[in-house]
Amino acid sequence: MENCLFCRIANGEIPSAKVYEDDAVLAFRDIAPAAPEHVLIIPKKHYDNVMQLDDDLLLARMFAAAREVAKQLGISESGFRLVINTGKDGGQTVEHLHMHMLGARELGWPPG
Ligand code: 5GP
Ligand code: ZN
């Protein structure tokens, strides 16, 4: 997906503030943080969103990465929120599957 923003971040064409990387998953800081800690966790392989995902083991890899990131950010005890926006009503703006990790402040619930 040569014109996909997150594919270009995953292949290093566009710089990002990386916090975690393995063979399948990359995590980097959101450019417009909605919380003191705001990291995006993406599969390196392109999927538009969870509806297109055909490999649920990849979600397990993303959750494993999320645990590592939470430890690294020091929010594994204080807590955090994981969010996967999907499609128009879900508020998805970048069409490459990604999970938001938000933390380091008390987050309100429910979201607006
Ligand atoms: P969505 O609304 O699709 O769930 O989330 C997309 C996220 O990507 C937004 O929180 C937005 O701030 C972030 N974002 C958009 N463009 C860039 C970029 O070029 N670099 C980084 N690091 N984050 C981006
Ligand atoms: Zn992509």
Side-chain angles (χ1 to χ4, degrees), residues 74-91:
I75 58 173
S76 56
E77 295 294 325
S78 55
F80 53 86
R81 182 170 295 161
L82 296 174
V83 178
I84 301 180
N85 295 330
T86 304
K88 179 176 74 65
D89 284 357

PDB file of all heavy atoms in Angstrom, residues 74-91:
ATOM      1  N   GLY A  74       5.631   3.056  31.826  1.00  0.00           N
ATOM      2  CA  GLY A  74       5.401   3.130  33.267  1.00  0.00           C
ATOM      3  C   GLY A  74       3.943   3.276  33.639  1.00  0.00           C
ATOM      4  O   GLY A  74       3.608   3.847  34.684  1.00  0.00           O
ATOM      5  N   ILE A  75       3.041   2.766  32.788  1.00  0.00           N
ATOM      6  CA  ILE A  75       1.608   2.904  33.071  1.00  0.00           C
ATOM      7  C   ILE A  75       0.929   1.549  33.242  1.00  0.00           C
ATOM      8  O   ILE A  75      -0.298   1.459  33.228  1.00  0.00           O
ATOM      9  CB  ILE A  75       0.889   3.733  31.968  1.00  0.00           C
ATOM     10  CG1 ILE A  75       1.061   3.091  30.588  1.00  0.00           C
ATOM     11  CG2 ILE A  75       1.414   5.175  31.965  1.00  0.00           C
ATOM     12  CD1 ILE A  75       0.227   3.770  29.493  1.00  0.00           C
ATOM     13  N   SER A  76       1.725   0.500  33.442  1.00  0.00           N
ATOM     14  CA  SER A  76       1.113  -0.829  33.562  1.00  0.00           C
ATOM     15  C   SER A  76       0.321  -0.961  34.856  1.00  0.00           C
ATOM     16  O   SER A  76      -0.655  -1.707  34.907  1.00  0.00           O
ATOM     17  CB  SER A  76       2.167  -1.927  33.448  1.00  0.00           C
ATOM     18  OG  SER A  76       3.176  -1.740  34.401  1.00  0.00           O
ATOM     19  N   GLU A  77       0.712  -0.210  35.899  1.00  0.00           N
ATOM     20  CA  GLU A  77      -0.018  -0.259  37.175  1.00  0.00           C
ATOM     21  C   GLU A  77      -1.140   0.785  37.218  1.00  0.00           C
ATOM     22  O   GLU A  77      -2.247   0.494  37.648  1.00  0.00           O
ATOM     23  CB  GLU A  77       0.946  -0.011  38.353  1.00  0.00           C
ATOM     24  CG  GLU A  77       2.002  -1.091  38.527  1.00  0.00           C
ATOM     25  CD  GLU A  77       1.401  -2.434  38.916  1.00  0.00           C
ATOM     26  OE1 GLU A  77       0.405  -2.455  39.667  1.00  0.00           O
ATOM     27  OE2 GLU A  77       1.919  -3.464  38.450  1.00  0.00           O
ATOM     28  N   SER A  78      -0.847   1.986  36.757  1.00  0.00           N
ATOM     29  CA  SER A  78      -1.852   3.066  36.825  1.00  0.00           C
ATOM     30  C   SER A  78      -2.991   2.838  35.839  1.00  0.00           C
ATOM     31  O   SER A  78      -4.116   3.301  36.064  1.00  0.00           O
ATOM     32  CB  SER A  78      -1.189   4.422  36.565  1.00  0.00           C
ATOM     33  OG  SER A  78      -0.489   4.416  35.341  1.00  0.00           O
ATOM     34  N   GLY A  79      -2.720   2.119  34.764  1.00  0.00           N
ATOM     35  CA  GLY A  79      -3.763   1.760  33.807  1.00  0.00           C
ATOM     36  C   GLY A  79      -3.721   2.573  32.527  1.00  0.00           C
ATOM     37  O   GLY A  79      -2.974   3.555  32.406  1.00  0.00           O
ATOM     38  N   PHE A  80      -4.523   2.158  31.608  1.00  0.00           N
ATOM     39  CA  PHE A  80      -4.527   2.771  30.276  1.00  0.00           C
ATOM     40  C   PHE A  80      -5.760   2.295  29.536  1.00  0.00           C
ATOM     41  O   PHE A  80      -6.498   1.439  30.027  1.00  0.00           O
ATOM     42  CB  PHE A  80      -3.246   2.391  29.499  1.00  0.00           C
ATOM     43  CG  PHE A  80      -2.992   0.915  29.448  1.00  0.00           C
ATOM     44  CD1 PHE A  80      -3.554   0.114  28.479  1.00  0.00           C
ATOM     45  CD2 PHE A  80      -2.174   0.309  30.421  1.00  0.00           C
ATOM     46  CE1 PHE A  80      -3.324  -1.248  28.443  1.00  0.00           C
ATOM     47  CE2 PHE A  80      -1.948  -1.060  30.399  1.00  0.00           C
ATOM     48  CZ  PHE A  80      -2.513  -1.841  29.414  1.00  0.00           C
ATOM     49  N   ARG A  81      -5.975   2.851  28.360  1.00  0.00           N
ATOM     50  CA  ARG A  81      -7.105   2.434  27.517  1.00  0.00           C
ATOM     51  C   ARG A  81      -6.577   2.018  26.147  1.00  0.00           C
ATOM     52  O   ARG A  81      -5.721   2.701  25.579  1.00  0.00           O
ATOM     53  CB  ARG A  81      -8.098   3.591  27.372  1.00  0.00           C
ATOM     54  CG  ARG A  81      -9.329   3.216  26.551  1.00  0.00           C
ATOM     55  CD  ARG A  81     -10.385   4.295  26.643  1.00  0.00           C
ATOM     56  NE  ARG A  81     -10.890   4.398  28.011  1.00  0.00           N
ATOM     57  CZ  ARG A  81     -11.543   5.457  28.495  1.00  0.00           C
ATOM     58  NH1 ARG A  81     -11.758   6.514  27.731  1.00  0.00           N
ATOM     59  NH2 ARG A  81     -11.972   5.465  29.739  1.00  0.00           N
ATOM     60  N   LEU A  82      -7.099   0.915  25.642  1.00  0.00           N
ATOM     61  CA  LEU A  82      -6.787   0.471  24.279  1.00  0.00           C
ATOM     62  C   LEU A  82      -8.044   0.648  23.440  1.00  0.00           C
ATOM     63  O   LEU A  82      -9.123   0.200  23.844  1.00  0.00           O
ATOM     64  CB  LEU A  82      -6.368  -1.003  24.283  1.00  0.00           C
ATOM     65  CG  LEU A  82      -5.080  -1.314  25.039  1.00  0.00           C
ATOM     66  CD1 LEU A  82      -4.856  -2.828  25.090  1.00  0.00           C
ATOM     67  CD2 LEU A  82      -3.879  -0.633  24.383  1.00  0.00           C
ATOM     68  N   VAL A  83      -7.899   1.306  22.304  1.00  0.00           N
ATOM     69  CA  VAL A  83      -9.051   1.628  21.449  1.00  0.00           C
ATOM     70  C   VAL A  83      -8.712   1.297  19.999  1.00  0.00           C
ATOM     71  O   VAL A  83      -7.623   1.632  19.522  1.00  0.00           O
ATOM     72  CB  VAL A  83      -9.381   3.141  21.528  1.00  0.00           C
ATOM     73  CG1 VAL A  83     -10.535   3.497  20.603  1.00  0.00           C
ATOM     74  CG2 VAL A  83      -9.689   3.564  22.952  1.00  0.00           C
ATOM     75  N   ILE A  84      -9.634   0.657  19.307  1.00  0.00           N
ATOM     76  CA  ILE A  84      -9.473   0.441  17.865  1.00  0.00           C
ATOM     77  C   ILE A  84     -10.671   1.071  17.156  1.00  0.00           C
ATOM     78  O   ILE A  84     -11.771   0.495  17.137  1.00  0.00           O
ATOM     79  CB  ILE A  84      -9.369  -1.053  17.518  1.00  0.00           C
ATOM     80  CG1 ILE A  84      -8.182  -1.703  18.240  1.00  0.00           C
ATOM     81  CG2 ILE A  84      -9.228  -1.220  15.997  1.00  0.00           C
ATOM     82  CD1 ILE A  84      -8.001  -3.201  17.949  1.00  0.00           C
ATOM     83  N   ASN A  85     -10.487   2.264  16.648  1.00  0.00           N
ATOM     84  CA  ASN A  85     -11.551   2.928  15.896  1.00  0.00           C
ATOM     85  C   ASN A  85     -11.713   2.229  14.551  1.00  0.00           C
ATOM     86  O   ASN A  85     -10.721   1.914  13.888  1.00  0.00           O
ATOM     87  CB  ASN A  85     -11.208   4.413  15.676  1.00  0.00           C
ATOM     88  CG  ASN A  85     -11.149   5.181  16.979  1.00  0.00           C
ATOM     89  OD1 ASN A  85     -11.839   4.844  17.933  1.00  0.00           O
ATOM     90  ND2 ASN A  85     -10.312   6.213  17.027  1.00  0.00           N
ATOM     91  N   THR A  86     -12.961   2.005  14.169  1.00  0.00           N
ATOM     92  CA  THR A  86     -13.220   1.252  12.936  1.00  0.00           C
ATOM     93  C   THR A  86     -14.303   1.941  12.106  1.00  0.00           C
ATOM     94  O   THR A  86     -15.431   2.136  12.594  1.00  0.00           O
ATOM     95  CB  THR A  86     -13.658  -0.196  13.268  1.00  0.00           C
ATOM     96  OG1 THR A  86     -12.645  -0.799  14.080  1.00  0.00           O
ATOM     97  CG2 THR A  86     -13.834  -1.020  12.001  1.00  0.00           C
ATOM     98  N   GLY A  87     -13.934   2.329  10.900  1.00  0.00           N
ATOM     99  CA  GLY A  87     -14.901   2.898   9.969  1.00  0.00           C
ATOM    100  C   GLY A  87     -15.373   4.298  10.360  1.00  0.00           C
ATOM    101  O   GLY A  87     -14.878   4.912  11.309  1.00  0.00           O
ATOM    102  N   LYS A  88     -16.342   4.769   9.602  1.00  0.00           N
ATOM    103  CA  LYS A  88     -16.807   6.159   9.743  1.00  0.00           C
ATOM    104  C   LYS A  88     -17.366   6.434  11.140  1.00  0.00           C
ATOM    105  O   LYS A  88     -16.932   7.354  11.819  1.00  0.00           O
ATOM    106  CB  LYS A  88     -17.884   6.432   8.676  1.00  0.00           C
ATOM    107  CG  LYS A  88     -18.472   7.829   8.716  1.00  0.00           C
ATOM    108  CD  LYS A  88     -19.453   8.065   7.576  1.00  0.00           C
ATOM    109  CE  LYS A  88     -20.799   7.366   7.749  1.00  0.00           C
ATOM    110  NZ  LYS A  88     -21.613   7.857   8.886  1.00  0.00           N
ATOM    111  N   ASP A  89     -18.322   5.644  11.569  1.00  0.00           N
ATOM    112  CA  ASP A  89     -18.929   5.907  12.872  1.00  0.00           C
ATOM    113  C   ASP A  89     -17.951   5.663  14.020  1.00  0.00           C
ATOM    114  O   ASP A  89     -18.113   6.220  15.108  1.00  0.00           O
ATOM    115  CB  ASP A  89     -20.187   5.044  13.064  1.00  0.00           C
ATOM    116  CG  ASP A  89     -21.374   5.572  12.260  1.00  0.00           C
ATOM    117  OD1 ASP A  89     -21.225   6.630  11.606  1.00  0.00           O
ATOM    118  OD2 ASP A  89     -22.437   4.925  12.282  1.00  0.00           O
ATOM    119  N   GLY A  90     -16.960   4.827  13.779  1.00  0.00           N
ATOM    120  CA  GLY A  90     -15.945   4.565  14.802  1.00  0.00           C
ATOM    121  C   GLY A  90     -14.898   5.665  14.893  1.00  0.00           C
ATOM    122  O   GLY A  90     -14.048   5.635  15.780  1.00  0.00           O
ATOM    123  N   GLY A  91     -14.952   6.616  13.965  1.00  0.00           N
ATOM    124  CA  GLY A  91     -14.000   7.730  14.003  1.00  0.00           C
ATOM    125  C   GLY A  91     -12.640   7.398  13.428  1.00  0.00           C
ATOM    126  O   GLY A  91     -11.655   8.081  13.699  1.00  0.00           O
TER     127      GLY A  91
END
